[in-house]
Amino acid sequence: MSSRESAASQKELQKEQEFIDRLYARVDALRGLAADSVTDALTPVGTGQQARLERDLLVVERSGLLAALNAVDGSLCFGRIDLTDGVTHHIGRLGIREDDTEHTPILIDWRAPVARPFYLATGHTPMGLRRRRHLTTEGRTVTELHDEILDLGDAERTGFEDPTGDAVLLAALNSARTGRMGDIVQTIQAEQDRIIRHDHRGVLVVEGGPGTGKTAVALHRAAFLLYEHRELLAKRAVLIVGPNPAFLSYISEVLPALGETGVLLATVGELFPGVHATAVDTPRAAAVKGAAAMADALAFAVRDRQQLPEPGAPMVIRHDDGDLILDWEIAYEARQAARDTLLPHNLARPHFAFRILDALTQQLAERIGADPYGGPNFLGPDDLAQLGKGVAASADVHAAIEELWPTLTPEGLVADFLAEPVQLAQADADAIRRTTTGPTDWTPADVPLLDEAAELLGHDDSAERAAAEAARQERIAYAQGVLDLSRGSETYEFEDEDESEVLAAHDIVDAERVGDWYAEEDHRSAAERAAADRTWAFGHIIVDEAQELSPMAWRLLMRRSPTRSMTLVGDPAQTAEEAGVGSWEKILAPYVEDRFEHTRLGVNYRTPAEIMDVAAAVLRAEHPDFEPPSSVRSTGVLPWRREVTGDLVAAVAEAVAAEVPDEGRLAVIAPRRLREALAARLPGVDAAGLTPDLTRQVVLLDPRQAKGLEFDRVIVVEPGEFGLSDLYVALTRATQSLGVVHSGELPPALLRLAVAGSGA
């Protein structure tokens, strides 16, 4: 580079640094304004302004401004586009305006339409761009620039030209992993951008093999939808469903880094409020519980609890005016009337109870009011009403009603069902039978059953509504007293040229409105309220590893999405769960028929070609037509295998010591039976429970826990013990190198691996 070119390069760096300095001066000012608002709101200023200040504090807290700015600090701006008309825009993770009165932004949000050419423009279709620049920063310091020339007639050169335009992408792909997924706003590719900004309002299916970035695309689509439909989704929230807690921990920082915090992340096992499902089912039990037939089995279990007295053996209920007889005929008529309402079990129960009470009252009236000489009953309407009150007040009557049509809870119903699943075939019943029903006994496969039970039972909130109304009436009565005291003491004068009119407070507001002001507000975010409300309808739902969900899990999720606004991402080739549906058509047909959009990502950004060739060969052994996604890079590092004739655990520990990177993460993916022994021999490795610590340098997982994750290096232990899909997942987690350690037989496709030496 000549001295002139070097000077030009330094000038470009200086210009970008000056821009970054100006940007962060504005960011610091915004952060200060937000912090000052919080401080002012917390400062005691007297009771007269307290309500207003508390409300101001909520506005500041809910705006998320401080959280958003802090989350992206140091990496706010990552690009610039220079248009052929001379206009220049800097692109970043958030949109920042020049000042409070100026509408011109100093930084364009990556989701804004004007930013889209940054991702889509090419030399063939420049979209009005002259140059595209990628900025790399460390903290608030510009460290690198990469320029792509899109207008080949432009003779200006800065010394930072990137002939291929791939330098930034390859740098990101080759960077050491941290145990947390990062955002990809700086490197979104054209096929990914089209999916992120897709305008389909219904169900969008994004299919892609390992490393195609489908999870990142789904998360960025969530951020884009929150930007495009802020008002709706801020109220209804976005739900992101992941396959396991480790995965949710892995992706937890992506959306906050994009300024979005109003999103609920959960597994299916966390979607029934009050239940935290930590127990583990056998694969067979999970498959039985997840089958669509369980919905009918639970419905039958509910109807089975709506009982009748045995014919010829009526229930005898003690009463002050003589025994009451509740026989089969009375109960049958009441049950049919309640069922005819088509209401859920608990909501239909009052209808059943009313018919029973009415029949018993008539029975009592006929006995007491009967004319011994055969004349008409001499009891009048008031007498019948009084008798009805006596019957309704009888504890024995209510005990009989409870026995025939009990009030049920989802937890109680499912626990009873699992203890004796008589509605199922014997083999299925044996697979799921469980007699323990403590809080720690629920499994993720139980949660859709609990949700189904809740739908079948319904929730009778009449007592809660009555209590709330009573409290409201108390507030109104109190407010009326305050207004009464204000008569003649608190006035507001409005004068004009002709007359003055004096208005008292009670002329401006009524007691009901003042009473409502006293009501306690719910200050939780939409995501927090959604997490506590089983009936919440989300504005949008994103499901990762969607092919793994059971039919019962889909019933649960579809209840949370009455508008069917969903993004589903997955790969049928990676279906490992026995209960998984796998086929998009089978998943969606019961809910949207064929009214869904399907798109596929075909480029593998994570897995080097050397590793992907091995993984593809494993699948082709059983599926000859399988075509993997195309890898964009090759590392030149061949996967290896080591056969162990002695101590397998010692051999794995030796391999880990040799492979652990100076930077980045190494994963040991092994069968669960080896977890305890390996954890004891691998330094710094935890016992790898439900949520292994992905930030450790060495992480121990089984294949199911590794779903959706990526590591710099991976060692797969005893791959012959894995199912085909689990093995495919395990082999495709590495970004740099892959090794196999085994003492048992290998799948034939892995015998081609280079032999690294014998073990202990």
Side-chain angles (χ1 to χ4, degrees):
M1 181 184 295
S2 67
S3 59
R4 178 177 296 180
E5 291 173 332
S6 177
S9 298
Q10 289 301 316
K11 184 178 180 180
E12 287 297 317
L13 274 173
Q14 183 61 34
K15 283 169 55 179
E16 295 298 353
Q17 187 61 59
E18 290 172 356
F19 169 79
I20 293 295
D21 292 342
R22 182 161 62 94
L23 171 64
Y24 279 103
R26 175 60 178 156
V27 168
D28 289 340
L30 287 172
R31 184 182 285 110
L33 288 172
D36 288 345
S37 298
V38 174
T39 302
D40 290 344
L42 291 173
T43 303
V45 292
T47 57
Q49 302 181 47
Q50 188 63 34
R52 177 181 62 80
L53 290 175
E54 289 178 355
R55 194 174 300 276
D56 289 346
L57 174 60
L58 288 173
V59 170
V60 172
E61 289 177 337
R62 289 177 177 176
S63 70
L65 179 60
L66 279 171
L69 291 175
N70 290 336
V72 300
D73 192 12
S75 58
L76 190 55
C77 176
F78 56 80
R80 192 184 89 182
I81 51 177
D82 299 348
L83 280 65
T84 54
D85 61 5
V87 175
T88 295
H89 296 300
H90 280 86
I91 313 298
R93 288 171 171 80
L94 291 176
I96 305 292
R97 297 192 180 280
E98 191 77 46
D99 56 48
D100 293 333
T101 60
E102 179 62 51
H103 292 294
T104 302
I106 186 174
L107 187 68
I108 300 291
D109 193 301
W110 67 276
R111 297 165 288 190
V114 72
R116 197 168 192 193
F118 182 80
Y119 301 108
L120 296 184
T122 64
H124 184 266
T125 310
M127 301 179 68
L129 297 194
R130 178 176 64 86
R131 177 187 302 266
R132 171 169 49 213
R133 168 170 289 176
H134 293 269
L135 284 75
T136 302
T137 59
E138 291 184 6
R140 300 186 177 191
T141 301
V142 179
T143 58
E144 290 184 61
L145 302 178
H146 294 274
D147 288 349
E148 296 177 62
I149 305 301
L150 299 174
D151 180 1
L152 299 181
D154 185 358
E156 179 186 354
R157 294 295 181 266
T158 63
F160 295 107
E161 282 72 26
D162 177 6
T164 66
D166 293 332
V168 174
L169 173 62
L170 292 176
L173 298 179
N174 288 314
S175 62
R177 270 42 189 174
T178 65
R180 293 289 183 267
M181 177 183 278
D183 67 64
I184 61 168
V185 286
Q186 191 169 359
T187 59
I188 292 173
Q189 301 301 292
E191 68 166 357
Q192 297 171 329
D193 183 83
R194 283 189 285 271
I195 295 172
I196 290 169
R197 300 174 193 263
H198 201 294
D199 61 0
H200 184 63
R201 296 295 185 91
V203 177
L204 175 64
V205 173
V206 183
E207 184 177 327
T212 53
K214 54 187 179 294
T215 296
V217 167
L219 294 173
H220 288 69
R221 177 165 171 77
F224 175 76
L225 292 173
L226 285 162
Y227 175 84
E228 283 285 285
H229 309 288
R230 177 71 62 190
E231 184 175 354
L232 170 65
L233 295 184
K235 294 178 181 177
R236 302 310 312 163
V238 173
L239 170 65
I240 297 178
V241 180
N244 54 59
F247 174 83
L248 294 179
S249 175
Y250 177 63
I251 68 170
S252 62
E253 296 177 5
V254 175
L255 287 169
L258 298 175
E260 302 296 348
T261 56
V263 176
L264 176 63
L265 277 68
T267 64
V268 170
E270 296 169 324
L271 289 178
F272 193 87
V275 169
H276 189 57
T278 57
V280 178
D281 274 314
T282 65
R284 172 62 178 156
V288 173
K289 291 179 181 180
M294 289 298 290
D296 292 334
L298 286 172
F300 185 87
V302 171
R303 292 174 67 87
D304 195 47
R305 300 297 295 272
Q306 300 164 0
Q307 298 183 7
L308 303 174
E310 291 291 333
M315 301 175 71
V316 179
I317 304 171
R318 303 299 179 188
H319 191 270
D320 293 341
D321 295 314
D323 292 347
L324 299 173
I325 306 301
L326 177 50
D327 58 20
W328 185 91
E329 287 79 8
I330 292 174
Y332 177 80
E333 188 277 334
R335 186 176 73 174
Q336 287 303 115
R339 286 179 174 178
D340 287 345
T341 66
L342 302 181
L343 292 170
H345 174 88
N346 288 335
L347 299 184
R349 185 180 184 277
H351 295 269
F352 176 81
F354 174 80
R355 292 298 185 115
I356 296 295
L357 294 173
D358 185 60
L360 294 180
T361 299
Q362 289 296 330
Q363 184 183 116
L364 191 59
E366 291 172 2
R367 182 191 307 157
I368 295 176
D371 184 345
Y373 302 104
N377 194 304
F378 56 78
L379 294 180
D382 292 341
D383 299 317
L384 289 174
Q386 192 64 32
L387 284 178
K389 289 181 180 179
V391 172
S394 168
D396 290 339
V397 170
H398 284 284
I401 292 173
E402 180 67 20
E403 182 178 342
L404 297 177
W405 195 293
T407 301
L408 300 175
T409 66
E411 293 88 342
L413 177 69
V414 175
D416 290 346
F417 173 79
L418 294 176
E420 198 55 50
V422 295
Q423 295 81 7
L424 302 181
Q426 188 62 48
D428 290 344
D430 291 342
I432 69 170
R433 185 175 285 105
R434 186 179 73 219
T435 56
T436 56
T437 57
T440 61
D441 293 322
W442 298 115
T443 71
D446 291 332
V447 168
L449 305 187
L450 292 168
D451 196 73
E452 188 75 25
E455 285 292 303
L456 292 168
L457 298 179
H459 175 58
D460 184 0
D461 62 351
S462 57
E464 298 167 15
R465 287 188 282 106
E469 181 59 25
R472 180 172 178 269
Q473 293 301 325
E474 287 183 10
R475 292 194 302 269
I476 292 173
Y478 174 79
Q480 187 62 58
V482 172
L483 290 176
D484 290 343
L485 289 174
S486 73
R487 293 178 184 272
S489 63
E490 182 181 354
T491 61
Y492 303 89
E493 294 191 4
F494 301 89
E495 298 184 359
D496 57 29
E497 296 179 355
D498 300 320
E499 60 181 353
S500 66
E501 181 179 1
V502 179
L503 299 177
H506 57 267
D507 295 317
I508 301 173
V509 295
D510 57 25
E512 184 173 358
R513 182 176 300 180
V514 175
D516 289 341
W517 287 348
Y518 290 138
E520 181 180 355
E521 294 187 35
D522 188 346
H523 300 322
R524 296 173 298 171
S525 68
E528 290 170 329
R529 285 182 282 125
D533 185 354
R534 190 196 68 82
T535 63
W536 189 273
F538 288 91
H540 191 77
I541 295 179
I542 290 176
V543 185
D544 204 302
E545 303 292 350
Q547 77 282 348
E548 300 287 10
L549 268 60
S550 70
M552 290 301 294
W554 283 113
R555 289 174 66 88
L556 178 154
L557 288 179
M558 291 300 176
R559 293 188 191 104
R560 308 301 199 270
S561 182
T563 63
R564 303 296 189 257
S565 179
M566 309 177 83
T567 301
L568 314 181
V569 297
D571 179 13
Q574 297 184 61
T575 304
E577 298 290 344
E578 287 189 32
V581 178
S583 163
W584 304 120
E585 289 76 13
K586 290 181 180 179
I587 289 172
L588 296 172
Y591 307 103
V592 297
E593 297 179 342
D594 61 351
R595 300 186 303 277
F596 64 92
E597 291 281 330
H598 180 272
T599 186
R600 183 174 177 82
L601 293 166
V603 179
N604 187 334
Y605 299 98
R606 175 208 301 148
T607 317
E610 294 85 351
I611 297 176
M612 199 63 220
D613 288 345
V614 173
V618 168
L619 274 189
R620 285 199 186 106
E622 293 192 22
H623 305 286
D625 296 333
F626 172 72
E627 286 297 329
S630 302
S631 296
V632 300
R633 65 196 177 99
S634 174
T635 61
V637 179
L638 296 176
W640 53 267
R641 67 181 177 92
R642 177 179 299 171
E643 184 174 5
V644 179
T645 57
D647 188 339
L648 175 65
V649 173
V652 173
E654 179 184 327
V656 167
E659 291 289 322
V660 64
D662 294 331
E663 288 186 293
R665 302 292 179 270
L666 182 149
V668 177
I669 303 178
R672 287 188 178 184
R673 68 175 182 83
L674 296 174
R675 176 186 299 171
E676 186 175 341
L678 286 171
R681 296 287 291 271
L682 300 177
V685 173
D686 62 8
L690 289 177
T691 53
D693 185 354
L694 301 177
T695 64
R696 298 195 181 202
Q697 194 171 29
V698 178
V699 183
L700 175 61
L701 314 104
D702 61 50
R704 304 292 172 90
Q705 292 174 317
K707 269 190 171 294
L709 308 182
E710 61 182 21
F711 304 90
D712 299 87
R713 302 183 182 188
V714 170
I715 295 176
V716 178
V717 181
E718 294 292 25
E721 297 185 19
F722 300 160
L724 182 63
S725 295
D726 283 341
L727 179 55
Y728 184 58
V729 168
L731 295 174
T732 55
R733 299 304 98 193
T735 66
Q736 300 297 331
S737 69
L738 170 70
V740 171
V741 179
H742 68 102
S743 60
E745 292 187 10
L746 282 182
L750 295 184
L751 293 174
R752 59 186 278 192
L753 297 182
V755 178
S758 60

